Amino acid sequence: MSRTFLGMPGIASPGKSGQTFPGNAARAVQNSQLRFNLRKATRTIRARRASVVNELPDWAELRQAGKAIKDHTLRNLDTYLIQLEEAVTKAGGHVHWAADADEANRIVAGLVKATGETEVVKVKSMATQEIGLNEALLEEGITAYETDLAELIVQLGDDWPSHILVPAIHRNRSEIREIFADNMSGWGRPAPDDLTDDPAALAEAARLHLRERFLASKVAISGANFMIAETGTLVVLESEGNGRMCLTLPETLISVVGIEKLLPTWRDLEVFLQLLPRSSTGERMNPYTSMWTGATEGQDFHLVLLDNGRTGVLADEVGRQALRCIRCSACLNVCPVYERAGGHAYGSVYPGPIGAILTPLLRGMETELDRSLPYASSLCGACYEVCPVAIDIPSVLVELRARARHPWTERAGMAAAGWVFNRSGRLARLQRIGGQMRTMVPKRLPGPLSGWTDTRDLPRVPKESFRDWWNRTDGGSR
Amino acid sequence: MSSRDLILARVRAAVAGVPDVEVPRAYRGTASAAAGAEGLVELFAERVRDYKAVVHVVAEPEVPALVARSVAERPARRLAVPGGFPASWLEQSEIDQVTDEPRLGAADLDAVDGVLTTCALAIAETGTIVLDAGPGQGRRALTLVPDYHLCLVRADQIVAGVPDAVARLDPVRPLTWISGPSATSDIELNRVEGVHGPRTLEVVIVV
Ligand code: SF4
């Protein structure tokens, strides 16, 4: 099987040797602007999330339901995919199946060409980033314009996203001002001459820059947060309104969606429309959610169902739970490693704790980088605690570490802690302790657990231990 | 083998022998309280205000005067008004009504000052209004392109929570859930209201 492509070729090309997570992280940690931005961002969102999650008396029950709905869907994915295809087709939409990134890109390029257009507008979508759609379209003479403000910053800055929810979080306002002032004119309406670095002024510049494009575009490309098998409905959550612009104004809409985004019934949305906004932006509800079924209001609608390694993950007994992920980014915001290393260190479009498991699961562990990803964690368990679909990221990390022992990791440390990792009950207990420790930061765990704290860095004093970690490995080269 | 068959075959091979799971639904489902019940109006108003939208709670006879005042204050003169919007609510407003029949082009839509609509229902707990393109609501772009959206919500359209809304809505219709004005936090996480959607959302609750 060919390697699954997960974007970011410029940063972590599979062909480039010597790329490792600690190496990338070491460079990132030296960037104080990045560290400052990340710390501010993750702390702010973390606090917001906590307040709106605590407000719901039935959060634990919603989380259990969310987990079970996803597991049930994955168990019966074939049935539900066929049901979805029927429903979308019946509602006037066209369904395409793409086994890998190349096929998806070919299908989309073909659909765009059939319209005669050479420009498309895009809604932020992890799936299309994953398959490198923009680059593939460019090779076919089609320019894709990102319309999410953060994606626009990333695109104009010729850069890569670093966070699932706020992809340009590594940029500060004066950098953004410069990017807009220098590059907007090359892509369309230039930035105003007197552009300041006030966030409202920057947002206004983006509004003006994109408005004409929205009004003129004939083809749009989106992803989707959910697809309902029973009804054929697609659901997109967003904040800015660029999603609604793309979903409603153009004559042709092409949605590229991973096969795991399915939910069996319309009713299941009552769970996920509570779990996702609160976990993601920390709001009771995001400003805009669009739902449409098939060809709507006279539009030509195409759905491209994407595998690209997902069925491989589904076959993985331990790893398949990663397919429950609804891309809320809560696990990024609580991760002490992400907070210091930033998103680019993970070398794929999926950063943070979920990326540390999803990337090697999807892409395999043939490269140094992918083998190092399962070690991009202190196993503190905070990601598991906040995950709205209860993905046990620490357990998957441990399993992946066992599959790809890394030369520069402390084998001895892993072995000493082995008895903990072998027993799920103990691991779960330990994760709970780890979660509580995030506020207490004790030096050592008592008794037999001391072996674990002695070799695991972050539950102690995260900042120092992370540095210890990459210092010890000489920036990952050892 | 087609990619469809290939993907389905891979799925079947991957899940063979995996036990199925029951979905526990112990969370709060549809509320026993009737829509518009005591307390829901206050909760809805408070939650919409949290999103920095303008909220009024008025009795039906006062609606025409309130609408007139609101659009005058904006000021908004040329307003898109979808078919089915109650004409009586506009009696006192001095506006040029723009209809969407035949359909307005995107540029025409961009040239109106705002849009007036009703809604399909509203959710108290999350401060959300939902539009389903029914009478008085128009197609989706109508409430998106203009910079100002005034939405009228009848008290008996306000349901308690998300499960109540999902149970009442018809997925065959195009749905737009709106919770406050368009916003972004993409620049250093500073919230800026109004990017591409209407920068001002005004909600009138009719009791
Ligand atoms: S793994 Fe869980 S917490 Fe992380 S992005 Fe996915 S759903 Fe959210």
Side-chain angles (χ1 to χ4, degrees):
Chain A
M1 208 174 84
S2 64
R3 280 173 55 82
T4 303
F5 180 64
L6 291 182
M8 293 218 154
I11 286 185
S13 159
K16 261 193 220 164
S17 61
Q19 288 265 8
T20 60
F21 178 81
N24 293 342
R27 279 185 292 281
V29 171
Q30 282 160 343
N31 181 340
S32 58
Q33 178 69 54
L34 174 74
R35 275 213 329 272
F36 177 83
N37 291 357
L38 282 171
R39 194 161 53 236
K40 183 177 169 215
T42 52
R43 285 181 190 186
T44 308
I45 310 183
R46 221 149 67 201
R48 271 194 227 152
R49 176 205 163 269
S51 90
V52 294
V53 163
N54 293 338
E55 177 179 292
L56 288 190
D58 55 347
W59 184 257
E61 287 79 14
L62 285 165
R63 185 171 180 253
Q64 281 312 309
K67 170 179 189 260
I69 291 168
K70 282 287 185 182
D71 280 343
H72 167 74
T73 313
L74 292 169
R75 172 62 189 83
N76 301 282
L77 196 58
D78 52 336
T79 313
Y80 289 129
L81 282 170
I82 292 168
Q83 200 186 351
L84 174 82
E85 179 185 43
E86 276 170 16
V88 170
T89 309
K90 206 176 131 213
H94 305 275
V95 179
H96 311 261
W97 301 70
D100 56 23
D102 281 347
E103 189 176 12
N105 289 334
R106 263 201 317 278
I107 292 169
V108 176
L111 290 169
V112 177
K113 280 184 180 168
T115 66
E117 295 293 314
T118 54
E119 297 188 342
V120 299
V121 283
K122 271 191 70 200
V123 198
K124 172 169 146 43
S125 138
M126 304 290 304
T128 59
Q129 273 167 28
E130 172 190 321
I131 61 176
L133 179 65
N134 292 7
E135 295 74 19
L137 288 177
L138 200 59
E139 277 173 26
E140 302 284 330
I142 300 161
T143 310
Y145 294 95
E146 292 292 351
T147 61
D148 177 77
L149 178 52
E151 294 292 344
L152 179 71
I153 296 166
V154 167
Q155 188 173 47
L156 292 176
D158 196 16
D159 197 356
W160 292 95
S162 65
H163 189 281
I164 294 177
L165 174 69
V166 277
I169 200 58
H170 56 289
R171 297 288 197 183
N172 66 21
R173 59 179 79 189
S174 64
E175 289 176 292
I176 295 168
R177 197 205 74 84
E178 247 167 69
I179 291 170
F180 279 11
D182 294 348
N183 302 330
M184 267 189 175
S185 56
W187 287 81
R189 180 175 172 145
D193 288 336
D194 55 354
L195 183 65
T196 67
D197 64 5
D198 173 26
L202 294 168
E204 172 70 9
R207 178 186 174 95
L208 293 171
H209 177 74
L210 287 170
R211 180 131 301 219
E212 291 160 30
R213 188 163 325 279
F214 283 134
L215 300 181
S217 288
K218 299 273 190 289
V219 184
I221 297 171
S222 82
N225 295 96
F226 306 105
M227 308 186 281
I228 312 296
E230 175 188 44
T231 59
T233 308
L234 268 75
V235 183
V236 168
L237 283 72
E238 54 142 349
S239 295
E240 297 172 12
N242 63 306
R244 292 179 66 196
M245 290 278 179
C246 293
L247 299 173
T248 55
L249 292 179
E251 291 158 13
T252 302
L253 172 62
I254 304 165
S255 300
V256 182
V257 189
I259 52 174
E260 84 284 17
K261 296 277 163 196
L262 264 182
L263 297 177
T265 68
W266 172 247
R267 184 188 172 190
D268 293 327
L269 272 182
E270 71 187 18
V271 174
F272 290 94
L273 288 180
Q274 298 192 72
L275 289 176
L276 182 50
R278 288 177 199 258
S279 299
S280 180
T281 51
E283 294 167 297
R284 295 188 181 105
M285 197 62 91
N286 51 296
Y288 297 137
T289 299
S290 297
M291 305 176 187
W292 75 98
T293 302
T296 306
E297 293 175 348
Q299 242 176 8
D300 201 8
F301 173 60
H302 295 270
L303 171 61
V304 181
L305 295 171
L306 178 72
D307 181 344
N308 203 34
R310 285 161 176 74
T311 46
V313 183
L314 188 61
D316 187 315
E317 211 178 306
V318 180
R320 69 165 65 100
Q321 57 181 309
L323 295 178
R324 293 203 295 258
C325 177
I326 55 174
R327 313 273 188 265
C328 71
S329 73
C331 58
L332 277 63
N333 301 331
V334 296
C335 179
V337 176
Y338 175 83
E339 186 177 310
R340 284 157 187 81
H344 291 161
Y346 295 80
S348 107
V349 298
Y350 300 111
I354 182 61
I357 60 171
L358 195 56
T359 300
L361 283 168
L362 282 169
R363 195 157 68 180
M365 294 196 280
E366 284 151 43
T367 65
E368 275 286 283
L369 174 78
D370 292 347
R371 274 196 298 277
S372 70
L373 281 176
Y375 293 89
S377 167
S378 67
L379 301 179
C380 76
C383 50
Y384 174 50
E385 254 171 64
V386 295
C387 178
V389 285
I391 299 172
D392 188 352
I393 295 175
S395 292
V396 181
L397 286 167
V398 169
E399 168 67 24
L400 292 176
R401 286 182 187 186
R403 288 182 205 171
R405 290 291 172 91
H406 211 271
W408 45 260
T409 54
E410 291 173 23
R411 291 269 186 91
M414 291 296 290
W419 69 273
V420 176
F421 301 129
N422 287 338
R423 293 162 183 80
S424 56
R426 285 182 191 170
L427 180 60
R429 216 156 46 235
L430 198 58
Q431 281 159 2
R432 272 199 303 281
I433 294 166
Q436 288 155 8
M437 283 195 316
R438 293 183 48 70
T439 47
M440 292 155 46
V441 199
K443 290 265 185 294
R444 290 179 66 147
L445 287 171
L449 292 176
S450 60
W452 188 77
T453 41
D454 285 348
T455 52
R456 297 299 91 209
D457 331 325
L458 286 153
R460 287 187 292 164
V461 185
K463 192 168 177 178
E464 280 180 14
S465 55
F466 182 72
R467 286 192 171 149
D468 286 347
W469 177 34
W470 61 262
N471 274 340
R472 193 172 61 233
T473 62
D474 197 17
S477 60
R478 248 186 280 144
Chain B
M1 199 193 264
S2 71
S3 290
R4 179 183 186 277
D5 293 344
L6 178 68
I7 293 170
L8 289 172
R10 283 181 189 163
V11 168
R12 287 178 188 128
V15 299
V18 176
D20 206 341
V21 272
E22 283 285 315
V23 176
R25 295 195 190 259
Y27 55 86
R28 294 171 304 155
T30 49
S32 44
E38 189 78 17
L40 287 185
V41 169
E42 288 70 25
L43 183 61
F44 175 66
E46 176 198 313
R47 295 282 153 98
V48 178
R49 276 192 197 108
D50 277 355
Y51 296 125
K52 302 227 178 93
V54 185
V55 182
H56 312 271
V57 183
V58 293
E60 167 103 53
E62 296 162 34
V63 170
L66 179 81
V67 171
R69 243 188 351 262
S70 290
V71 297
E73 266 169 31
R74 203 51 20 216
R77 181 85 211 180
R78 295 186 67 240
L79 287 152
V81 181
F85 187 90
S88 60
W89 285 352
L90 293 174
E91 270 165 3
Q92 298 177 32
S93 299
E94 285 180 40
I95 56 167
D96 300 331
Q97 285 190 42
V98 181
T99 64
D100 194 32
E101 291 137 21
R103 261 199 201 193
L104 293 165
D108 301 326
L109 214 47
D110 197 31
V112 302
D113 299 330
V115 57
L116 300 176
T117 71
T118 61
C119 68
L121 57 77
I123 307 168
E125 189 168 274
T126 59
T128 303
I129 51 179
V130 182
L131 272 55
D132 72 353
Q137 299 165 51
R139 67 192 159 103
R140 296 172 296 172
L142 214 59
T143 49
L144 171 64
V145 180
D147 204 18
Y148 168 65
H149 179 195
L150 178 80
C151 182
L152 288 110
V153 181
R154 288 180 183 278
D156 64 7
Q157 290 182 304
I158 303 174
V159 300
V162 173
D164 304 279
V166 170
R168 279 163 208 242
L169 291 166
D170 177 1
V172 170
R173 311 186 67 94
L175 300 174
T176 306
W177 296 41
I178 299 173
S179 308
S182 144
T184 183
S185 298
D186 281 343
I187 302 164
E188 294 183 9
L189 274 188
N190 288 291
R191 190 179 158 101
V192 177
E193 268 85 27
V195 194
H196 303 297
R199 281 182 278 198
T200 307
L201 174 68
E202 196 162 344
V203 177
V204 179
I205 306 168
V206 185
V207 292

